[in-house]
């Protein structure tokens, strides 16, 4: 039952991420999004600082931190709210989670089969390509049926 729940959970995450994979995120401005939006609104650092109840220097530090990627999500969320904006945060895998897991399982299976087939060839007992593919597919399915945490050891 737990394995079925995990599969369902995997499918739901993949479905939620599917439309996001098609979106190409624009590169952030060199000065960062917060400064670009603030300046686009015609707002000064002092005005933003007043809205956040912090100093102008603190706003400058936060903007620099955002531009360099060294800001917390909580601070970024607060800045966005003060700019009447919202923070959108998402990690989007390049492929579906199922594809990433299958790819990893295939690597594991290929490594395992390479070791076995090397010994078999030394003993002049190599298998044909079609049989090797069948064995690889079977081993991939076997690896995927085990605990998914084992994929990443």
């Amino acid at each position: 039952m737990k394995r079925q729940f995990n599969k369902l959970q995997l499918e739901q995450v993949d479905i939620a991420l599917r439309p996001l994979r098609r979106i190409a995120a624009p590169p952030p401005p060199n000065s960062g999004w917060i400064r670009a939006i603030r300046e686009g609104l015609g707002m000064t650092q002092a005005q933003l600082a007043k809205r956040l109840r912090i100093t102008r220097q603190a706003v400058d530090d936060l903007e620099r931190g955002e531009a360099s990627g060294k800001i917390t999500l909580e601070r970024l969320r607060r800045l966005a709210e003060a700019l009447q904006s919202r923070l959108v945060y998402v990690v989007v895998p390049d492929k579906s989670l199922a594809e990433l897991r299958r790819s990893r399982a295939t690597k594991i299976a290929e490594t395992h089969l390479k070791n076995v087939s090397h010994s078999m060839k030394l003993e002049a007992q190599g298998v044909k390509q079609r049989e090797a593919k069948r064995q690889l597919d079977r081993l991939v399915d076997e690896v995927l049926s085990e605990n998914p945490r084992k994929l990443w050891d």
Side-chain angles (χ1 to χ4, degrees):
M1 182 70 162
K2 183 166 172 66
R3 198 171 299 269
Q4 295 250 313
F5 174 76
N6 290 341
K7 187 176 180 183
L8 180 63
Q9 187 178 28
L10 173 84
E11 288 173 6
Q12 288 175 348
V13 172
D14 271 341
I15 288 168
L17 290 172
R18 190 176 300 140
L20 298 173
R21 262 195 231 54
R22 292 186 286 257
I23 299 171
N30 289 338
S31 59
W33 288 111
I34 296 299
R35 182 174 177 179
I37 292 169
R38 178 184 56 74
E39 288 177 346
L41 291 171
M43 186 185 293
T44 66
Q45 283 185 335
Q47 290 168 324
L48 181 55
K50 186 176 178 182
R51 290 171 150 252
L52 290 165
R53 295 186 178 111
I54 59 176
T55 66
R56 189 212 54 81
Q57 182 59 49
V59 168
D60 188 61
D61 292 343
L62 289 169
E63 285 181 349
R64 288 176 195 266
E66 187 248 335
S68 67
K70 297 179 179 167
I71 190 170
T72 65
L73 290 174
E74 175 57 25
R75 286 188 173 153
L76 196 52
R77 184 192 58 73
R78 287 188 61 226
L79 283 163
E81 286 175 0
L83 294 168
Q84 293 180 327
S85 302
R86 61 190 164 102
L87 174 65
V88 178
Y89 170 85
V90 63
V91 176
V92 183
D94 294 329
K95 299 176 184 175
S96 75
L97 299 178
E99 288 173 307
L100 290 173
R101 286 169 60 160
R102 179 163 284 284
S103 175
R104 180 66 181 155
T106 301
K107 273 187 177 176
I108 292 168
E110 286 172 343
T111 301
H112 181 71
L113 285 178
K114 187 185 289 184
N115 295 337
V116 171
S117 66
H118 178 70
S119 324
M120 296 287 283
K121 283 179 186 173
L122 289 176
E123 298 171 11
Q125 297 176 9
V127 294
K128 294 189 174 166
Q129 191 171 2
R130 189 175 191 181
E131 176 60 19
K133 170 80 170 105
R134 190 189 68 73
Q135 289 176 2
L136 177 64
D137 290 343
R138 194 181 87 236
L139 190 54
V140 167
D141 289 340
E142 191 176 308
V143 170
L144 286 171
S145 72
E146 295 175 0
N147 186 335
R149 292 180 181 159
K150 289 183 179 181
L151 289 171
W152 311 106
D153 286 337

